Amino acid sequence: MCGIIGYIGSEKASPILLRGLINLEYRGYDSAGMAILNSKGVECKKAAGKIEEIHKRLNFLDLEGDIGIAHNRWATHGEVNDINAHPHFDSTKTIAIVHNGIIENYRELKEKLSTHTFESETDSEVIAHLIEEELKRGLSFEEAFISTISQLEGNYAILAIKNGEEKILAARKGSPLVVGIADHGTFLSSDIPSFLEYTKKVVYLQDYDVVVATKNGVRIYNLSGNEVSRPVDTVEWDAEQIKKGGFEHYMLKEILEQSETIQRAIQQDESVVNRIADEIREAYGIFFVGCGSSYHACLTGSYLFSKIANTHVNVALASEFENYEHFLTENTLVFAISQSGETADVLEAVRAAKIRGSRVIGIVNKMGSSLTRESDEFLLMNAGPEICVLSTKTYTSQVALMALLAYALAGKYEDGVNRLQGLYMDIYNLTSRSMREHLRYLAEMLVNEEHIYLIGRGLQYATAMEGALKIKEVSYIHAEAFAGGELKHGPLALIEDGTPVMVFVARDNEKKVISNASEVKARGGFIIGVSADRHEVFDYWVKVPECEDLNPIAQIIPIQILAYQLAVLKGLDPDKPRNLAKSVTVI
Ligand code: AGP
């Protein structure tokens, strides 16, 4: 999965594209490159490494011209090196392309081009060579581009430029691509933050759209070459939301936004939520499907639906959903949870569900994402852009929406809204400076630990799962969650003198989980309690308000902050953990 951006207009392209790449870094950042069309032809600079490092070495701003494309990469085909960085060229070096996605039939296509010499190991490079071949057949640049696109299998968002052609051609299928319309020019990009400081006017493209962007504007076609129209939208997010807002890292900024984002998550159309609740009542079989933190939101949702609405739902990791597809019927209701709306595992599950006639409802953060288009209906999380690779505010927004649906299902929509609105001050206090200092002290105690375990029961077990993910993915400390009742079935063997174990306690199930904590304590464990009340078994207490069914929102926030502090203490970049990317658009 990668980030792509193109610009055509009256301004010099390279500084605009460089800023765009920096704003797209969260989509992948193991290499980057830029190609600009000018009097010398198509000039290119590209390399492996982070954008700032490459720019220091190659200076993208040396590239003159007002038409260009750029790319930052999260490798899927071919190792991370300069040659495999995009843009890629044809044999004549006059056609440059950037690509986000996977061309599944690239080997067969390369065999058809046996006279061509390919420089890289990537699947993407074949696109430029295919265009070259189509041009040799006497087609125009646009015709050659469309003919090329028609031969591709897999998913793609592609930008192409060619020497002598004052335009950028673009196409999308299964990977995000959006048009930005500014007074001085046009943007084509994987994501809105790349150009938001220049314009809020956007056009969300559909799969199989082909775009011809010139200095006179944008025209959109389908693969048959017929022009199609797409509405121009105005984005609510302003550029400031994208910036770090004065914090050192997006992660902290986004954690602290949660007192607001929970309130925005519940700004839903009551009639829509209640209608979805009716659909849940009528469905025969319900699945919650997601990955990572979104899966933990699904798990939390299953406990909430059971507890609040006395309704059973199945929970499945999206990557494991294929093992349940044979149960799906036209009466099954599948909720696909994904903040990016581009996670390939989730989209694959959605497509499988739709093939079997099931109805799919998305819970998603990004308008215009594939999930918003492929769901039969969707609820927007309204969390605003989440730039940090870790899901923090989007996770609690998902949980808030799950809770709201559960309350609606129980016929208590208003009650649900009131309870969620009542969280505002609780979350504000949980993210306060004094709480952050308290947690930094705990982080200093834990920063050199090799293992941290987290336990809970019911809703608190789901919270423990999410807490473990936060800690491990940002601090690289091994963290693992267990249901409290499971300790004695094996994990207790891991406990040594001083082993840190975090225990999530809710008043409605405290007895059993405190007993589990005592089992750990008796074997030398160091007990960190996360609860409204202090308990004798605690060696360290993180005080949180008792929020009953909404404990999953309140109790995860201190752990998000703790995980952040651990990363900072270890000198790591919390926004860009190693090996990870913000949206995993590969299976
Ligand atoms: C969580 O912090 C990670 N960013 C990751 O597990 C993420 O939740 C997962 O990849 C799903 O992403 P999605 O919500 O965009 O589908």
Side-chain angles (χ1 to χ4, degrees):
M1 167 279 333
C2 313
I4 64 176
I5 179 171
Y7 172 78
I8 179 168
S10 55
E11 307 280 323
K12 181 176 175 182
S14 54
I16 291 175
L17 295 175
L18 178 58
R19 287 182 67 75
L21 285 183
I22 290 167
N23 277 324
L24 284 176
E25 256 197 316
Y26 66 91
R27 293 185 58 81
Y29 35 78
D30 59 42
S31 43
M34 189 184 295
I36 304 284
L37 181 62
N38 57 35
S39 55
K40 297 176 196 162
V42 181
E43 274 196 289
C44 176
K45 289 176 185 276
K46 67 176 188 175
K50 293 201 173 176
I51 292 165
E52 286 88 351
E53 293 158 6
I54 301 167
H55 180 49
K56 276 201 193 95
R57 209 160 11 108
L58 304 181
N59 190 5
F60 287 119
L61 302 187
D62 279 348
L63 294 169
E64 295 296 335
D66 48 20
I67 301 173
I69 58 178
H71 181 280
N72 51 24
R73 184 172 181 243
W74 188 56
T76 53
H77 284 72
E79 61 185 63
V80 177
N81 60 32
D82 296 357
I83 293 290
N84 288 336
H86 298 218
H88 289 293
F89 284 81
D90 69 315
S91 318
T92 67
K93 303 295 180 204
T94 59
I95 301 165
I97 66 100
V98 292
H99 167 233
N100 173 28
I102 292 181
I103 306 302
E104 290 166 359
N105 62 333
Y106 80 99
R107 290 186 184 84
E108 297 88 324
L109 293 169
K110 286 176 84 166
E111 280 161 19
K112 276 174 55 181
L113 300 168
S114 54
T115 58
H116 287 241
T117 304
F118 290 90
E119 290 183 350
S120 78
E121 307 156 303
T122 67
D123 54 334
S124 309
E125 186 183 356
V126 74
I127 298 166
H129 290 261
L130 279 173
I131 295 171
E132 176 192 356
E133 275 307 296
E134 294 301 320
L135 286 167
K136 283 178 187 168
R137 291 173 47 219
L139 299 182
S140 68
F141 184 28
E142 287 87 339
E143 290 164 339
F145 183 74
I146 288 180
S147 175
T148 295
I149 297 298
S150 307
Q151 298 174 58
L152 304 181
E153 292 171 16
N155 57 49
Y156 55 77
I158 298 168
L159 306 179
I161 56 176
K162 178 183 176 296
N163 189 24
E165 299 277 354
E166 291 268 310
K167 59 190 73 165
I168 298 175
L169 303 186
R172 64 149 292 164
K173 172 183 168 274
S175 288
L177 191 64
V178 61
V179 181
I181 300 172
D183 297 339
H184 57 75
T186 298
F187 296 83
L188 297 146
S189 175
S190 305
D191 203 354
I192 294 166
S194 64
F195 56 73
L196 195 56
E197 59 195 277
Y198 302 100
T199 182
K200 293 186 180 183
K201 286 166 67 181
V202 299
V203 175
Y204 297 109
L205 297 175
Q206 308 270 344
D207 279 354
Y208 303 107
D209 281 357
V210 175
V211 179
V212 178
T214 67
K215 292 189 178 178
N216 301 319
V218 172
R219 302 179 83 91
I220 303 171
Y221 302 87
N222 60 24
L223 286 182
S224 313
N226 303 316
E227 190 159 0
V228 296
S229 74
R230 296 279 179 252
V232 178
D233 240 348
T234 302
V235 181
E236 296 308 314
W237 299 345
D238 61 31
E240 281 322 297
Q241 278 188 296
I242 304 300
K243 298 290 166 280
K244 297 178 185 177
F247 295 102
E248 193 182 353
H249 301 104
Y250 289 117
M251 183 174 178
L252 184 57
K253 168 181 170 281
E254 289 154 4
I255 289 171
L256 269 55
E257 283 179 4
Q258 291 176 106
S259 49
E260 298 296 332
T261 49
I262 295 296
Q263 302 310 313
R264 291 210 297 266
I266 56 181
Q267 287 167 6
Q268 301 293 334
D269 178 334
E270 182 175 351
S271 63
V272 169
V273 176
N274 281 324
R275 180 167 45 69
I276 290 173
D278 290 339
E279 286 188 53
I280 293 170
R281 292 186 190 96
E282 286 145 30
Y284 182 74
I286 302 163
F287 277 90
F288 287 168
V289 177
C291 303
S293 290
S294 298
Y295 169 73
H296 298 147
C298 293
L299 187 60
T300 303
S302 70
Y303 285 113
L304 288 169
F305 270 56
S306 171
K307 209 162 176 284
I308 298 170
N310 193 35
T311 299
H312 171 261
V313 298
N314 304 289
V315 183
L317 285 166
S319 56
E320 292 292 308
F321 191 60
E322 61 190 351
N323 301 295
Y324 305 101
E325 285 166 12
H326 53 283
F327 294 124
L328 299 180
T329 70
E330 64 281 357
N331 299 318
T332 309
L333 190 54
V334 176
F335 284 84
I337 319 300
S338 171
Q339 75 84 17
S340 64
E342 299 298 347
T343 299
D345 289 327
V346 173
L347 296 175
E348 189 173 77
V350 164
R351 289 158 192 161
K354 298 196 70 161
I355 286 168
R356 292 175 183 273
S358 300
R359 185 160 161 76
V360 175
I361 295 178
I363 292 185
V364 56
N365 192 40
K366 193 171 304 166
M367 181 63 201
S369 63
S370 301
L371 184 56
T372 56
R373 275 195 310 285
E374 299 189 32
S375 304
D376 295 302
E377 183 151 26
F378 59 87
L379 293 175
L380 281 177
M381 298 152 53
N382 307 323
E386 185 174 68
I387 306 300
C388 174
V389 166
L390 276 82
S391 302
T392 50
K393 63 176 182 175
T394 55
Y395 170 73
T396 51
S397 295
Q398 289 167 345
V399 173
L401 271 174
M402 285 287 187
L404 189 61
L405 278 168
Y407 280 112
L409 194 53
K412 302 175 183 171
Y413 184 86
E414 276 313 309
D415 183 24
V417 170
N418 293 334
R419 283 168 177 258
L420 285 156
Q421 285 175 339
L423 282 181
Y424 184 85
M425 280 317 295
D426 289 329
I427 297 174
Y428 184 81
N429 294 330
L430 283 169
T431 54
S432 66
R433 184 176 296 281
S434 57
M435 175 56 108
R436 297 192 330 248
E437 280 313 308
H438 178 53
L439 289 162
R440 182 177 175 84
Y441 178 69
L442 178 58
E444 285 163 357
M445 290 164 68
L446 296 174
V447 66
N448 296 315
E449 289 294 338
E450 207 180 331
H451 306 285
I452 299 173
Y453 300 115
L454 302 88
I455 64 172
R457 299 176 80 107
L459 283 170
Q460 283 65 48
Y461 168 51
T463 303
M465 293 277 283
E466 172 60 11
L469 178 60
K470 290 289 93 62
I471 291 170
K472 73 178 81 165
E473 69 176 328
V474 78
S475 73
Y476 314 154
I477 296 172
H478 170 244
E480 192 171 351
F482 306 110
E486 272 302 288
L487 280 171
K488 52 190 174 298
H489 299 291
L492 213 50
L494 294 169
I495 305 302
E496 298 173 326
D497 195 30
T499 303
V501 177
M502 305 192 79
V503 185
F504 295 88
V505 184
R507 284 186 182 137
D508 66 358
N509 71 359
E510 64 181 13
K511 281 196 176 47
K512 287 185 177 177
V513 78
I514 292 299
S515 160
N516 299 144
S518 304
E519 291 160 16
V520 172
K521 183 96 176 206
R523 289 154 179 84
F526 181 82
I527 304 300
I528 301 156
V530 181
S531 64
D533 310 308
R534 180 189 290 279
H535 291 268
E536 194 182 337
V537 70
F538 293 168
D539 296 300
Y540 192 95
W541 179 31
V542 178
K543 181 172 172 48
V544 295
E546 175 61 40
C547 299
E548 298 168 348
D549 297 335
L550 302 181
N551 278 331
I553 294 173
Q555 294 190 346
I556 195 59
I557 290 174
I559 312 310
Q560 293 171 343
I561 296 170
L562 175 68
Y564 171 77
Q565 306 276 25
L566 287 169
V568 170
L569 283 172
K570 293 184 74 174
L572 302 172
D573 179 352
D575 291 334
K576 299 176 202 143
R578 66 187 178 195
N579 308 337
L580 302 180
K582 182 59 184 172
S583 171
V584 183
T585 55
V586 291
I587 298 289

